[in-house]
Amino acid sequence: QMAIPIGKMSTGTRRKVWLTAALVVGCATVLLDEPMNALDGNSSLYLRQRLNRAAMQRERCWIVASHVEPCQDVSVLNTLTLP
């Protein structure tokens, strides 16, 4: 096994590590700020699908801040649009 410090990973790989931690840890609320940035297409698709499942199952409160168009197809129960 390879042990690579997170600081030496690519931006996309670091993002995957932190998103995985957010999905695994049993927090009641998860805040994701621009979660699609630096992700490849497959990882972005997986994250959108996982967020959709989480929203439908109401596993926890997900707060997602995003300006990236692909994130806008995630199912939401409530939205807040800021000027």
Side-chain angles (χ1 to χ4, degrees), residues 21-22 28 38 42-43 46-47 54 76 81:
N42 288 334
S43 298
Y46 172 80
L47 179 60
V76 294
T81 304

Side-chain angles (χ1 to χ4, degrees), residues 2-60:
M2 293 178 22
I4 301 172
I6 291 176
K8 294 193 180 217
M9 295 177 181
S10 68
T11 302
T13 301
R14 277 196 312 267
R15 179 66 52 121
K16 290 176 191 176
V17 169
W18 295 120
L19 290 170
T20 300
L23 292 169
V24 172
V25 175
C27 299
T29 303
V30 179
L31 171 62
L32 301 177
D33 183 21
E34 300 290 349
M36 304 301 174
N37 285 358
L39 293 182
D40 59 69
N42 288 334
S43 298
S44 180
L45 175 62
Y46 172 80
L47 179 60
R48 290 193 322 267
Q49 291 170 341
R50 183 63 181 91
L51 288 173
N52 274 319
R53 279 197 308 274
M56 294 299 119
Q57 296 171 358
R58 297 183 184 201
E59 293 177 353
R60 56 187 83 160

